[in-house]
Amino acid sequence: MRSPLLEKSLDFATQTVLFYEEHVKTRKDTTIAKQLLCSATSVGANINEAIYGNSKADFIAKLHISLKETGESIYWMTLLKMTNLIDYNFDDLLSLAEEIKKMPIACINTAKENSK
């Protein structure tokens, strides 16, 4: 099944993993970067679980988790950007996360409307 949301979330996770792996090479310990890695990779994992959910309620619940993880990722990237702890341009990743954030909201609203 082709899912633009799943594809974008996989791209987001991939870019974040590559950022993190490059950052680790600097040997500069940043707990915030690890927090970002965890939340960013969780976005797509929860979207994947939603696609294969047991029920509409499960679908909606997993999308809510994905939405929360996207918001958390945006928070960590914004914090890293504002503190300049890491020399990295987060603008593209932030833009992708903002785009992703809108998609589960639309899916949740549609799912709720269709269950009325």
Side-chain angles (χ1 to χ4, degrees):
M1 174 190 315
R2 186 179 179 283
S3 165
L5 177 55
L6 188 55
E7 289 175 10
K8 285 188 182 295
S9 65
L10 185 58
D11 184 37
F12 179 61
T14 301
Q15 288 184 48
T16 305
V17 167
L18 293 173
F19 148 74
Y20 184 79
E21 290 302 319
E22 192 60 37
H23 167 68
V24 169
K25 292 177 186 175
T26 67
R27 297 181 186 214
K28 185 176 179 184
D29 181 32
T30 306
T31 305
I32 299 167
K34 191 165 207 152
Q35 291 287 101
L36 171 59
L37 177 68
C38 292
S39 61
T41 54
S42 180
V43 172
N46 280 289
I47 291 167
N48 192 62
E49 284 189 40
I51 290 170
Y52 298 103
N54 296 332
S55 64
K56 190 170 285 199
D58 188 32
F59 175 78
I60 291 170
K62 296 296 190 215
L63 285 179
H64 270 290
I65 294 168
S66 178
L67 179 59
K68 289 178 183 181
E69 294 293 339
T70 305
E72 183 178 337
S73 297
I74 291 169
Y75 175 81
W76 295 127
M77 285 186 287
T78 302
L79 186 59
L80 285 168
K81 184 176 178 179
M82 291 177 70
T83 59
N84 291 313
L85 289 173
I86 297 173
D87 184 27
Y88 186 82
N89 183 350
F90 288 98
D91 293 340
D92 289 342
L93 268 179
L94 278 165
S95 178
L96 181 56
E98 289 291 346
E99 186 179 345
I100 290 168
K101 185 172 75 171
K102 295 173 186 173
M103 296 172 84
I105 292 171
C107 290
I108 291 165
N109 290 338
T110 300
K112 285 180 178 179
E113 282 297 316
N114 289 341
S115 63
K116 288 183 179 178

